Amino acid sequence: MSDVERGSAAPTFEEYVAARGAALWRSAWLLTGDSHRAEDLVQAALVTCWRRWDQIARDGAVDGYVRRVLVTTYTDWWRRRWTGEVPTEVLPDGASVGADRALTDLRHDVLAALATLPRGQRAVVVLRFYDDLTEAATAETLGISVGTVKSQTARALKALRASSLLEEHP
């Protein structure tokens, strides 16, 4: 476990990005549902953090701060009603076969099911179950109450369980 993951030393911006960049991208991918938008989201969040990095590193809780910026940036993007590029509904043929294909299909279905959730519920599910944050840490990251995290989680899980997109997977 690195110093960045343990939180024992204030990392430089470069150290933090090297250690946590992939995890941030995965969270962003789950939020956006698109690898290119995920890259853009991580980049935008890291630019925001880079501008204040000395203060963020000095104050501690770097991971929580960066996650909050990531989720806030994601929410702001959707509020803007962006009308730029529109992704295609037709996916290219995958190169996966057998078990790899099944896993790819499951990932696609989970992402599609997540996309049906409202932004707040989706953010809560990603932070709670993918980033493995506690209810309190999720509430702090999103700037909401623990009760709201619990109710949003319950609603999201109910919707995901009822989703026809996940019915064919055990």
Side-chain angles (χ1 to χ4, degrees), residues 53 90 95 97 110 112 130 132 142 156 158 160 170:
W53 191 257
V90 178
V97 293
V110 168
Y130 180 75
D132 201 25
L142 296 175
K158 182 179 178 183
L160 290 173

Side-chain angles (χ1 to χ4, degrees), residues 2 7 16 21 48 54 56 87 100 115 129 134 137 144 146-147:
S2 73
Y16 180 80
T48 300
D54 291 339
I56 295 166
D100 288 340
F129 300 107
T134 63
I144 58 178
V146 173

Side-chain angles (χ1 to χ4, degrees), residues 89-165:
E89 291 185 26
V90 178
L91 296 175
D93 290 338
S96 302
V97 293
D100 288 340
R101 182 63 181 192
L103 185 56
T104 300
D105 289 344
L106 175 61
R107 286 182 183 152
H108 180 266
D109 291 346
V110 168
L111 191 56
L114 280 173
T116 65
L117 296 175
R119 289 184 302 279
Q121 289 178 14
R122 186 174 184 169
V124 168
V125 168
V126 169
L127 292 174
R128 286 279 293 124
F129 300 107
Y130 180 75
D131 287 340
D132 201 25
L133 296 183
T134 63
E135 290 169 342
T138 300
E140 183 179 336
T141 299
L142 296 175
I144 58 178
S145 71
V146 173
T148 301
V149 169
K150 290 179 181 182
S151 66
Q152 293 282 14
T153 301
R155 289 182 188 126
L157 292 178
K158 182 179 178 183
L160 290 173
R161 287 182 186 118
S163 174
S164 61
L165 297 169

